[in-house]
Amino acid sequence: MAAEPARQQSNALLSIGQVLARLQDDFGDLTPSKLRFLEEQGLVTPERTKSGYRKFSQANIERIRLVLTLQRDHYLPLRVIAELLEELDQGKDPIIPGASPRSASSILAPRRVLSSEELRRSTGASARFLGETIAAGLLPAAEVFPHDCVAQLTALMKLAERGITPRHLRAFRVAAERDAELISHAVSTRGVKSTTPHGAEDSMELAGYLETVRSGVLRRRVSGA
């Protein structure tokens, strides 16, 4: 029970002062005015209370950390950073000027999450539609979302436009849960725990094979082959 308050606190929205407390050890020159400047430049979009106070999510903090890292360690101007962020928000893998692919991947990895507001802004989805996809088990019920949710939510919106709503796709969640159990069993029979790095890698490999088979079966059925 002791861990629950800590978890709730980690998901809470933070004030400017709390954001500074989290980041100033790594970025000593960070000030409230600099945070407001990043917002004015459109690089971060904190939420606002009814009284107008800024509140920052964990996704906001990770975005700020990325911006400051790119400024300090790679000397990138804000214009270039804004372009990198835009590519990330579109689910792409941008190239950091002057950085090796491995270094770029390490730097960008922490940013690969979006708040619900950022996810909706990236896709144009309404809060109601996002809620329907979560209720159907098609997207995670979480404070932040992986970047691949951008492509998933966009696809779900396209399907909904053609009359295939999240409610119709609940069976996908059931099938995915069944596949996950199948994979977990297959991995465990080899004496490997799915929670270990090797087990996770093995599980993802099997998931890829299942996805290839499922896609082929579906396409053949649709084409009547």
Side-chain angles (χ1 to χ4, degrees), residues 102-171:
R102 176 173 296 183
S103 174
S105 177
S106 175
I107 294 167
L108 298 174
R111 175 62 193 95
R112 306 240 166 162
V113 294
L114 298 170
S115 67
S116 60
E117 181 183 351
E118 290 170 327
L119 178 59
R120 289 194 290 108
R121 188 167 60 245
S122 297
T123 60
S126 66
R128 179 178 179 178
F129 187 80
L130 177 58
E132 290 175 353
T133 65
I134 293 173
L138 302 173
L139 289 181
E143 293 291 325
V144 293
F145 298 83
H147 253 281
D148 61 2
C149 286
V150 172
Q152 293 172 15
L153 187 55
T154 299
L156 287 165
M157 291 172 63
K158 295 294 186 182
L159 288 169
E161 291 173 0
R162 304 293 292 273
I164 304 175
T165 69
R167 179 173 55 85
H168 295 124
L169 299 174
R170 290 179 184 273

Side-chain angles (χ1 to χ4, degrees), residues 179-180 183 187 200-214:
D179 288 348
I183 289 172
V187 172
E201 182 179 353
D202 200 13
S203 296
M204 293 305 296
E205 182 180 7
L206 292 177
Y209 293 149
L210 279 178
E211 189 62 34
T212 298
V213 173
R214 183 187 299 108

Side-chain angles (χ1 to χ4, degrees), residues 50-69:
K50 292 182 179 179
S51 302
Y53 292 104
R54 296 171 177 83
K55 290 292 183 178
F56 296 81
S57 67
Q58 183 60 39
N60 292 149
I61 294 173
E62 291 173 353
R63 193 177 184 95
I64 293 167
R65 185 184 296 278
L66 174 58
V67 170
L68 298 177
T69 298

Side-chain angles (χ1 to χ4, degrees), residues 10-67:
S10 68
N11 288 336
L13 297 176
L14 304 180
S15 67
I16 284 184
Q18 291 171 313
V19 173
L20 293 176
R22 288 198 177 191
L23 296 179
Q24 277 187 326
D25 284 347
D26 294 325
F27 306 97
D29 60 345
L30 184 61
T31 62
S33 61
K34 186 165 186 177
L35 284 177
R36 287 192 287 268
F37 178 72
L38 295 180
E39 180 185 2
E40 291 169 0
Q41 298 300 308
L43 298 174
V44 63
T45 308
E47 298 184 26
R48 293 275 187 161
T49 66
K50 292 182 179 179
S51 302
Y53 292 104
R54 296 171 177 83
K55 290 292 183 178
F56 296 81
S57 67
Q58 183 60 39
N60 292 149
I61 294 173
E62 291 173 353
R63 193 177 184 95
I64 293 167
R65 185 184 296 278
L66 174 58
V67 170

